Amino acid sequence: MAAYQLLGWGEGVERVEVPVQMPRGREVLVEVHAVGLCHSDLFVMGCEEGVLPYDLPLTLGHEVAGRVLAVGEDADGTLVGEAGVVHGVWSCGECHNCLRGLDNYCVALEGRVGCGLGHDGGLAHYVLLPDGRHFVPAQDVPPTSLAPLADAGLTAYHAIRQHGDALVADSVALVIGVGGLGHLAVQILRATTSSRVVAVDARPEACALAATLGAHHTATSVGEALAQLAAGTGVTGVDVVLDFVGSDVTMRLGADALTPGGRLVVVGGARGSIAVGKGMTLPLGWQVSAPFWGSRDDLVAVVELAEKGLLNPVVEVVPFGAVPEAYTRLRDGGITGRLVAVRDAALVQVEELRKEDGS
């Protein structure tokens, strides 16, 4: 099969031919239909040797939607034929955190998170999962919409759910960065909380998207957004900041926007930092957190939102053969929503013909 692999640190992906591994034991083989392209992929490609505990070559792709093609002898046979999405955190299922439903914080991961992040992922025609529990079935959601839910939707949902107790009544949530994750966060906030949603992005087109998705206020700067909030409601600070950039600048702006008792939630991976401590510049009762991805239960909830029509990723579909060029565009910036790669149409047509004639 064709796959896009990272062959050397600091390099781009290359299209190669690799063997299809058939499932054994509890393993599940998924026919890939769509794969989201993520900034995390760019981070992995850009790392120097020794930064990540990954072995090369490595097939990337951690936002994967498809159909179960085959399962091992110890796996759940009813999964065969099911369409759905892959939970990319390949946890042990047995540790202290896994048993509490915190499998995204599995203590056994040791840096090799899972699909496309330490283990071969879904930028290929097929992906082999170590266990059937890493597959979440979905009904009536196109694979191009399902794929981004595996990370962009899941990560946003997990970050919001963790702070659900602060997102009640007339609370205010500030979303910084209306990109692949942020545009889904706006929808999740509107669908699952009563908060007034304020969205900030330097790009006017991203602000326009946030407004169409239900944000109450949008602006190209945090200062402008807070002025709008104060003029419209009299409220001068926000209860929860969801920073989907995570730079020094956005973290500081987010912290300054908090009301007493407010929470700064850093989701973005721009590798910024902020000094915190009692008696410093943060308001009384501050909280700062950095949630990671999301649990399988969170992904089930995200899929349910999509099945109900409450969560609709904005995607740009690119052909499988154009993945390297798509990563270049992602690196250059300016992408609104999520880039999703689909298998080459010619290959899909050939396989459908084979299924029809039984060959």
Side-chain angles (χ1 to χ4, degrees), residues 45-107:
M45 291 183 229
C47 282
E48 297 180 357
E49 185 174 1
V51 173
L52 295 172
Y54 299 173
D55 297 323
L56 300 186
L58 174 69
T59 303
L60 296 185
H62 58 275
E63 290 188 337
V64 185
R67 180 177 64 88
V68 175
L69 192 65
V71 301
E73 61 274 14
D74 298 324
D76 180 4
T78 64
L79 284 174
V80 176
E82 288 276 8
V85 62
V86 175
H87 183 223
V89 183
W90 290 352
S91 58
C92 72
E94 300 175 352
C95 71
H96 175 64
N97 281 344
C98 285
L99 294 177
R100 295 189 296 157
L102 303 175
D103 42 310
N104 51 317
Y105 300 118
C106 173
V107 300

Side-chain angles (χ1 to χ4, degrees), residues 81-210:
E82 288 276 8
V85 62
V86 175
H87 183 223
V89 183
W90 290 352
S91 58
C92 72
E94 300 175 352
C95 71
H96 175 64
N97 281 344
C98 285
L99 294 177
R100 295 189 296 157
L102 303 175
D103 42 310
N104 51 317
Y105 300 118
C106 173
V107 300
L109 292 179
E110 297 181 346
R112 298 176 188 266
V113 179
C115 185
L117 297 170
H119 301 277
D120 284 334
L123 268 177
H125 291 160
Y126 305 93
V127 60
L128 187 67
L129 314 186
D131 195 292
R133 61 190 170 83
H134 302 312
F135 188 82
V136 175
Q139 302 294 325
D140 301 322
V141 182
T144 50
S145 295
L146 271 178
L149 301 184
D151 181 3
L154 175 57
T155 300
Y157 179 87
H158 177 67
I160 292 167
R161 182 185 63 77
Q162 277 196 319
H163 298 279
D165 62 314
L167 296 167
V168 296
D170 58 351
S171 60
V172 178
L174 171 61
V175 174
I176 299 179
V178 187
L181 279 73
H183 88 283
L184 293 171
V186 170
Q187 296 178 61
I188 293 167
L189 285 165
R190 291 306 312 271
T192 65
T193 78
S194 61
S195 294
R196 180 170 291 271
V197 179
V198 181
V200 172
D201 196 292
R203 301 168 297 163
E205 64 273 18
C207 290
L209 173 62

Side-chain angles (χ1 to χ4, degrees), residues 2-355:
Y4 281 103
Q5 291 193 328
L6 180 64
L7 304 180
W9 296 109
E11 302 176 2
V13 292
E14 292 190 28
R15 184 168 176 163
V16 298
E17 294 292 322
V18 297
V20 178
Q21 300 183 53
M22 297 309 294
R24 302 175 62 183
R26 299 180 62 85
E27 294 174 337
V28 170
L29 183 67
V30 174
E31 178 183 62
V32 177
H33 292 167
V35 186
L37 307 183
C38 179
H39 280 91
S40 296
D41 301 333
L42 299 180
F43 171 75
V44 173
M45 291 183 229
C47 282
E48 297 180 357
E49 185 174 1
V51 173
L52 295 172
Y54 299 173
D55 297 323
L56 300 186
L58 174 69
T59 303
L60 296 185
H62 58 275
E63 290 188 337
V64 185
R67 180 177 64 88
V68 175
L69 192 65
V71 301
E73 61 274 14
D74 298 324
D76 180 4
T78 64
L79 284 174
V80 176
E82 288 276 8
V85 62
V86 175
H87 183 223
V89 183
W90 290 352
S91 58
C92 72
E94 300 175 352
C95 71
H96 175 64
N97 281 344
C98 285
L99 294 177
R100 295 189 296 157
L102 303 175
D103 42 310
N104 51 317
Y105 300 118
C106 173
V107 300
L109 292 179
E110 297 181 346
R112 298 176 188 266
V113 179
C115 185
L117 297 170
H119 301 277
D120 284 334
L123 268 177
H125 291 160
Y126 305 93
V127 60
L128 187 67
L129 314 186
D131 195 292
R133 61 190 170 83
H134 302 312
F135 188 82
V136 175
Q139 302 294 325
D140 301 322
V141 182
T144 50
S145 295
L146 271 178
L149 301 184
D151 181 3
L154 175 57
T155 300
Y157 179 87
H158 177 67
I160 292 167
R161 182 185 63 77
Q162 277 196 319
H163 298 279
D165 62 314
L167 296 167
V168 296
D170 58 351
S171 60
V172 178
L174 171 61
V175 174
I176 299 179
V178 187
L181 279 73
H183 88 283
L184 293 171
V186 170
Q187 296 178 61
I188 293 167
L189 285 165
R190 291 306 312 271
T192 65
T193 78
S194 61
S195 294
R196 180 170 291 271
V197 179
V198 181
V200 172
D201 196 292
R203 301 168 297 163
E205 64 273 18
C207 290
L209 173 62
T212 64
L213 296 176
H216 297 91
H217 305 281
T218 65
T220 56
S221 71
V222 173
E224 180 187 351
L226 293 177
Q228 286 185 25
L229 178 67
T233 66
V235 176
T236 57
V238 302
D239 300 287
V240 177
V241 173
L242 295 157
D243 182 356
F244 290 100
V245 179
S247 68
D248 289 341
V249 172
T250 58
M251 290 172 68
R252 186 69 261 169
L253 289 170
D256 290 342
L258 291 175
T259 195
R263 306 178 187 184
L264 174 62
V265 185
V266 183
V267 186
R271 313 197 78 173
S273 62
I274 187 172
V276 299
K278 285 201 170 184
M280 297 178 66
T281 58
L282 288 174
L284 294 175
W286 55 266
Q287 292 185 36
V288 178
S289 65
F292 173 70
W293 216 335
S295 68
R296 186 187 189 279
D297 287 344
D298 286 334
L299 183 55
V300 171
V302 168
V303 168
E304 289 176 352
L305 288 175
E307 290 174 334
K308 294 175 181 177
L310 298 174
L311 188 56
N312 297 288
V314 174
V315 303
E316 178 185 339
V317 176
V318 298
F320 189 77
V323 163
E325 294 81 4
Y327 274 134
T328 298
R329 290 181 55 211
L330 186 63
R331 182 180 290 109
D332 291 343
I335 302 296
T336 300
R338 208 63 159 174
L339 290 175
V340 177
V342 297
R343 296 176 62 181
D344 299 325
L347 175 62
V348 173
Q349 290 172 1
V350 168
E351 293 197 352
E352 289 300 322
L353 289 172
R354 287 176 177 171
K355 292 172 186 176

